[in-house]
Amino acid sequence: MFPASRYSSKAHRCIRALKTVQTEHAAPQLYTTLNRRTCSSVSTPRITTHYTIHSREKDPRWEGIEMERFADEADVVIVGGGPAGLSAAIRLKQLANKHEKELRVCLVEKASQIGAHTLSGACLEPTALRELFPDWKERGAPLNTPVTEDVFSILTEKHRIPVPMLPGLPMNNHGNYIVRLGNFVRWLGEQAEELGVELYPGYAAAEVLFHEDGSVKGIATNDVGIAKDGSPKDVFERGMELHAKVTLFGEGCHGHLAKQLYKQFNLRENCEPQTYAIGLKELWTIDEKKWRPGRVEHSVGWPLNRHTYGGSFLYHLNEGEPLVALGFVVGLDYTNPYLSPFREFQRWKHHPFVAPTLEGGNRIAYGARALNEGGLQSIPKLTFPGGLLIGCSPGFMNVPKIKGTHTAMKSGMLAAEAIFPKVTAESLDSETAGLHTPEYAENLKNSWVWKEMYAVRNIRPSFHNYFGLYGGMIYTGIFYWIFRGKEPWTLKHCGLDANQLKPAKDCTPIEYPKPDGKISFDLLSSVALSGTNHEGDQPPHLTLKDDGVPVNRNLAIYDGPEQRFCPAGVYEYVPLETGDGMRLQINAQNCVHCKTCDIKDPSQNINWVVPEGGGGPAYNGM
Amino acid sequence: MGSSTSLVPKSVTAAINAHGFGYFGCPHTFGQVGYRLKRTEQYIRVKPDNSSVVTDGVKHSMNPFCEIAVEEAVKLKEKKLIKEVVAVSCGPQQVQETIRTALAMGADRGIHVEVTGKDYETLGPLQVSKIMAALAKKEEAQLVILGKQAIDDDCNQTGQMTAALLDWPQGTFASELSLEGDKIKVVREIDGGLETIKINTPAVVTADLRLNTPRYATLPNIMKAKKKKIANVKPADLGVDITSRLEVLRVDEPPQRQAGMKVETVDDLVGKLKEAGMV
């Protein structure tokens, strides 16, 4: 490989040493009996073909392919058509109309239509909505179900301990509405279009663009027409560049572009790592006799043990037919790699307090999404030259209330108000080509969002004590309900969720009951109900930094937790076609874009990137 | 193939695949190639009163066979064999989105035939063919390309009926299409294999799966398509009566698949068949 004559003897020795190291790695040998079956003597089959891991610059298949991108200019570009992104867009246009200024606002959204990737419980607190549209009722916002009763329980395997919902407790929902958030987001999209926002669903922002001075220039949408093996197809088309004075990133919980921005601008150096939970949800039409519209039920306890954060929700909607939205949340700082959030959800539905509501009913939808649990301690730096972060991406969720929509909307609105004077100014008074707007972070700190997050900041971390759940509830009762979060200390989280898993050998496998097909179901039929689909012939968008790590580390040490925490059955360990051992099979088409794998992979080897726009779940009013 | 039935029964029960994929419109291309787009639903369930399927909030997109038809028309224009590509769709306001996608793929202009509400629910192949025939005459089209069938109703009738109403030749289930002078050579996919026919223009062609691979509608093209024109027409303006001669009695989900049974011997099999009353 190296022309031997060219190098000094020192170099020769180095080269020889390198060559030896290479051959050693070709056949890794782990000698414990436990691991013998999991390690293969065959070299790792190629799994990842995505160009973010295997660059196209030196790839001979890409020689001669036209890589020029069409570029367009806007005043503001917003990534993500969720509550935050749409509220920001709407607020910008409201201000532009009020001050009679021209403003081009472009919003890109990876779902094929606005609202199709939205999933939430949800009990909406209408505070931000009232500020955005005081006349929301006349405009027909789909808030059809005011909360009428609020029920909180601690579940044991067979029984239920009721907890009184006293006013002042974070879970009290008086004045709120049960909504189908997907429908609400769709309505927001319609309002935005009416105001003149350019909405582009079906186009995913795949790349952040930078000016020469390092500030953000805009985004580029995904390329289309790349085959599964990474080569260009006949229909290959480059994505498009959208340049803007300011780019707002509202990708929702654990966005993939935000992940890059954290590194690029060092936005997380003064905050704790974000911690997350996974929320799984189903929609059921139930027997009319069991239907109590406006009823909100929450529970903690069974089937989770006291050290695993999580709980359930069940909301009775009032939209014409007897519809309930129910779901289960599991904190992703769980330690047992044998835990399967999906199966905990299915198991919970059989509880004597829950099952009667569902008996005789029909499941019509399923979905899952990660959500933020870090609260105030995990909010990163929010602004950088050329852009800022809004919504669940930095994470403004009020964890004990399990509400993040109202704070996400408010953050979008505050962002719009902060950048408006700058983008409409006659001259661009800025050090960098992309505008820097630290005023946004200032305004947010002075708003009710920050007050709310400050008051509840210690509730989630208070669960990390010997008594687990019960310690947390006692802490909440004393310090939140009585003292309103005014205690002078701020508790810390435990670190990255990915580092919390214990090795499989130290944990007991969990025996989950088989699904009965009437109340509980298997994974694949559930995934089918999410309507998820992707163009099959494209590189898997669940990329691995190192193709060997899943079998060598995740399977060997943690028994492959990704086959259990993925709510869509994307990851499967299957036996190799020849020889002994297993390989990881990635069923990228099943992905519901929940981001749990990127969060919980103990090796942090999985990097979720955006697939071709339009792919993913087809949620309808979730 | 492709006999067009002009007489249809007064009422019919429709059983549709509840997990079917819906699309909008088979594009008609006039040649000025015109094509008709149909917009269909994705992932559907039957309404509680069994009258039809739930379409509220369900994503609609262009019928895949229509995408293929659009692609073929645009390809013909890129080869400079035809002058203008016109995309046509019948339906409510939302079909404009589907027409825009066709414009982004390369069509020159669009025609939106407004059909809303109850009329839209009962709009079927016969009425659409009448509209298409009227438009083809009005636009003096040389070629009308449609998708072979829509994947929500699987009728496979519109192309054939349109040809019959216009008294034009038809090349259905096309997997290859070429213009040879003033004739069109069509290779058709039939049960026995492939059949090649030559038909005179003007003609109607319906696109089958292997005709081409449709291109993506890229974002810059979608933005440019906003500037292309979509004309609004009503069926009455074309002198077409769209009252339906069909009445849907019931819509049901397909029956749940029953588990199979394994038997040990042939006698067992015969016994079970007798039990089920089949022998």
Side-chain angles (χ1 to χ4, degrees), chain A residues 53 67 115 128 150 156 165 236 253 298 324 334 389 498 508 524 587:
Chain A
I53 306 280
M67 294 298 262
D150 225 330
T156 63
M165 258 301 108
F236 172 72
C253 176
H298 288 117
V324 294
Y334 67 82
L389 302 168
T508 2
L524 290 181
N587 305 314

Side-chain angles (χ1 to χ4, degrees), chain B residues 223-248:
Chain B
M223 289 181 172
K224 283 188 207 139
K226 287 201 173 175
K227 303 199 183 81
K228 293 187 184 173
K229 287 202 79 209
I230 299 182
N232 260 334
V233 183
K234 293 213 175 47
D237 300 339
L238 300 167
V240 172
D241 167 27
I242 56 169
T243 46
S244 176
R245 288 167 171 69
L246 300 178
E247 185 195 325
V248 172

Side-chain angles (χ1 to χ4, degrees), chain A residues 103-381:
Chain A
L103 198 65
R104 184 172 184 210
V105 180
C106 289
L107 187 150
V108 288
E109 160 61 46
K110 62 175 163 59
S112 53
Q113 54 184 34
I114 303 281
H117 285 188
T118 301
L119 183 138
S120 183
C123 265
L124 181 69
E125 221 181 83
T127 42
L129 178 62
R130 263 187 231 120
E131 291 183 25
L132 189 64
F133 287 119
D135 56 346
W136 58 264
K137 232 193 194 130
E138 287 77 38
R139 283 173 179 263
L143 273 64
N144 303 319
T145 316
V147 174
T148 55
E149 41 171 348
D150 225 330
V151 173
F152 194 90
S153 332
I154 302 177
L155 297 180
T156 63
E157 193 173 342
K158 297 232 186 344
H159 304 285
R160 160 189 180 247
I161 306 167
V163 174
M165 258 301 108
L166 305 162
L169 276 173
M171 302 293 270
N172 185 289
N173 274 300
H174 183 71
N176 298 334
Y177 292 83
I178 307 174
V179 294
R180 293 176 68 172
L181 195 65
N183 290 347
F184 178 68
V185 167
R186 194 172 59 203
W187 173 83
L188 277 177
E190 287 162 16
Q191 304 307 307
E193 265 199 312
E194 264 179 45
L195 285 165
V197 176
E198 287 177 51
L199 292 179
Y200 296 114
Y203 294 95
E207 202 184 312
V208 183
L209 304 167
F210 296 95
H211 286 291
E212 301 243 323
D213 63 6
S215 60
V216 170
K217 186 160 127 180
I219 53 104
T221 59
N222 58 280
D223 295 345
V224 290
I226 305 179
K228 201 162 182 167
D229 63 5
S231 60
K233 295 195 278 200
D234 287 331
V235 287
F236 172 72
E237 291 270 0
R238 235 5 206 141
M240 167 178 174
E241 295 191 6
L242 275 172
H243 300 168
K245 299 180 187 144
V246 187
T247 311
L248 275 60
F249 291 88
E251 299 174 283
C253 176
H254 205 80
H256 79 292
L257 291 182
K259 196 173 165 182
Q260 283 175 37
L261 291 166
Y262 294 147
K263 266 210 220 97
Q264 181 83 15
F265 292 105
N266 221 353
L267 300 171
R268 297 207 77 99
E269 58 184 341
N270 291 327
C271 69
E272 291 204 44
Q274 183 67 259
T275 69
Y276 303 88
I278 178 176
L280 301 106
K281 179 179 170 182
E282 287 174 358
L283 281 179
W284 283 64
T285 49
I286 56 170
D287 189 341
E288 237 186 291
K289 298 195 241 12
K290 320 254 172 86
W291 185 39
R292 316 256 286 266
R295 183 177 162 93
V296 161
E297 289 177 25
H298 288 117
S299 83
V300 290
W302 190 84
L304 299 175
N305 64 33
R306 67 174 195 267
H307 289 295
T308 308
Y309 184 84
S312 74
F313 65 88
L314 199 153
Y315 305 147
H316 292 246
L317 286 152
N318 191 1
E319 306 217 341
E321 42 172 353
L323 200 62
V324 294
L326 63 145
F328 205 76
V329 172
V330 178
L332 285 177
D333 57 349
Y334 67 82
T335 53
N336 187 344
Y338 291 107
L339 193 144
S340 161
F342 173 79
R343 301 193 78 175
E344 298 288 353
F345 175 34
Q346 300 302 320
R347 178 154 79 147
W348 162 78
K349 283 189 280 178
H350 283 288
H351 190 275
F353 185 61
V354 184
T357 312
L358 301 177
E359 259 146 33
N362 219 357
R363 185 175 75 148
I364 60 169
Y366 164 82
R369 181 76 169 91
L371 43 126
N372 301 301
E373 300 248 310
L376 196 79
Q377 294 92 319
S378 303
I379 298 181
K381 192 152 172 291

Side-chain angles (χ1 to χ4, degrees), chain A residues 70 72 104 112-113 186 200 203 221 224-225 233 235 237 240 242 285 321 364 528-529 535 612 618 620, chain B residues 19 21 42-43 45 48 54 56-60 97 213-224 226:
Chain A
F70 182 78
D72 205 359
R104 184 172 184 210
S112 53
Q113 54 184 34
R186 194 172 59 203
Y200 296 114
Y203 294 95
T221 59
V224 290
K233 295 195 278 200
V235 287
E237 291 270 0
M240 167 178 174
L242 275 172
T285 49
E321 42 172 353
I364 60 169
L529 277 183
E535 160 63 47
E612 273 180 21
N620 182 7
Chain B
H19 297 294
F21 213 35
Q42 229 178 34
Y43 215 77
R45 56 181 173 112
V54 177
D56 213 27
V58 178
K59 171 168 198 278
H60 288 61
E97 234 178 84
T213 310
R215 67 195 63 192
Y216 287 87
T218 57
L219 186 54
N221 288 336
I222 292 267
M223 289 181 172
K224 283 188 207 139
K226 287 201 173 175

